[in-house]
Amino acid sequence: MELFLDTGNVEEIKELVDILQVDGVTTNPTIVSRSGKRFTDLIKEISDIVGEDRAIHCQVVSRDFDGMIEEAEFINGLHKNIYVKIPVTHQGLKAIKELTKRGIKTTATAVFTAHQATLAAKAGAKYIAPYVNRLDNISGNGVSVVKQIINIIEKHNFDSKVLAASFKNAQQVIEIIEHGVHSVTVPTDVLDKMTCHPLTDYSVDKFIEDWENAYGEGIKTTD
Ligand code: E4P
């Protein structure tokens, strides 16, 4: 299973790439705009941090086919292992099909139904990104839509991976991982909740207290 960081905050990316086994970074126009940086400067910074082998997913902002293709060609040159995110609209599906023909890797994004996912996989998208929390927010069931998409991709042997996105809590993430999702992209505040537990902190404190009461210092490593 692949783990992506859903952030454009380079300090957070630096820190987490150092701590966790991370496979790459996903951005979108909102994430880029929040960074306050020029688009190309930000992608270059992320690229320098993650290295050329980890993936960066980077989204177009045009709504029309020609604009998407032009932006995708440009984005494709920004990093060695890059996926161009294309929203699944009529124009988007046409662009995914064309970019696949040109050998440019795409991530079908802003996916809310299994129908959209199926058509994007059929068009050649390498990743399909369903948005879990945005569905939950409108009384949908993001987790169950992702499960349905995974089943379809696997049953039909599509050459696409499911990259579940838009998470607001750790429970959403783990339910999808349990069902065998190929990849998740997680914002750093949710990742933090997945990493830590107050009982772990309590246990560590207690272990160290007991040790120090008995020996007064750490393990002698020079014996
Ligand atoms: C992936 O990068 C998606 O764009 C992102 O996960 C959407 O998340 P949001 O619904 O929290 O904006």
Side-chain angles (χ1 to χ4, degrees):
M1 189 211 72
E2 292 171 318
L3 172 65
F4 291 89
L5 305 177
D6 201 16
T7 179
N9 181 319
V10 291
E11 295 311 320
E12 289 177 351
I13 296 171
K14 240 183 244 164
E15 189 188 336
L16 287 166
V17 161
D18 192 38
I19 297 172
L20 300 172
Q21 186 61 45
V22 167
D23 297 288
V25 170
T26 58
T27 66
N28 63 33
T30 306
I31 287 173
V32 173
S33 66
R34 275 195 202 124
S35 77
K37 299 185 177 171
R38 276 183 68 229
F39 172 58
T40 47
D41 291 346
L42 177 66
I43 302 306
K44 166 99 181 57
E45 275 188 65
I46 295 175
S47 172
D48 288 345
I49 297 166
V50 300
E52 59 178 29
D53 291 334
R54 287 198 185 93
I56 301 178
H57 295 245
C58 209
Q59 194 167 327
V60 297
V61 294
S62 282
R63 291 171 188 271
D64 64 297
F65 173 78
D66 290 335
M68 285 179 182
I69 297 295
E70 189 183 335
E71 289 174 5
E73 289 278 6
F74 174 74
I75 289 170
N76 192 45
L78 296 179
H79 175 70
K80 187 176 161 224
N81 186 12
I82 199 151
Y83 291 80
V84 181
K85 291 174 71 182
I86 310 275
V88 178
T89 57
H90 283 133
Q91 296 288 295
L93 284 169
K94 185 175 166 186
I96 290 169
K97 189 168 67 135
E98 174 61 23
L99 291 167
T100 303
K101 246 188 250 161
R102 296 187 190 192
I104 293 178
K105 299 180 292 189
T106 57
T107 296
T109 195
V111 169
F112 292 94
T113 67
H115 311 78
Q116 289 177 301
T118 305
L119 294 174
K122 182 82 184 136
K126 291 287 175 205
Y127 284 90
I128 310 288
Y131 283 15
V132 176
N133 192 66
R134 292 194 194 194
L135 271 170
D136 289 354
N137 274 350
I138 55 156
S139 309
N141 187 334
V143 170
S144 94
V145 171
V146 175
K147 287 178 181 172
Q148 199 184 3
I149 294 172
I150 295 169
N151 289 342
I152 291 169
I153 298 287
E154 291 184 347
K155 226 169 234 163
H156 293 276
N157 268 323
F158 281 122
D159 184 23
S160 313
K161 290 181 188 169
V162 179
L163 169 58
S166 178
F167 290 111
K168 281 296 163 288
N169 64 66
Q171 183 59 25
Q172 292 167 331
V173 181
I174 209 67
E175 277 189 44
I176 283 167
I177 290 175
E178 190 182 5
H179 197 75
V181 76
H182 311 110
S183 326
V184 288
T185 185
V186 186
T188 50
D189 58 325
V190 178
L191 255 185
D192 193 47
K193 294 190 179 86
M194 290 172 67
T195 316
C196 302
H197 196 284
L199 276 177
T200 306
D201 297 338
Y202 167 81
S203 302
V204 169
D205 287 347
K206 182 75 178 112
F207 288 141
I208 292 173
E209 185 191 323
D210 291 347
W211 179 276
E212 284 177 353
N213 284 341
Y215 304 106
E217 57 182 12
I219 294 175
K220 264 194 168 350
T221 55
T222 49
D223 269 358

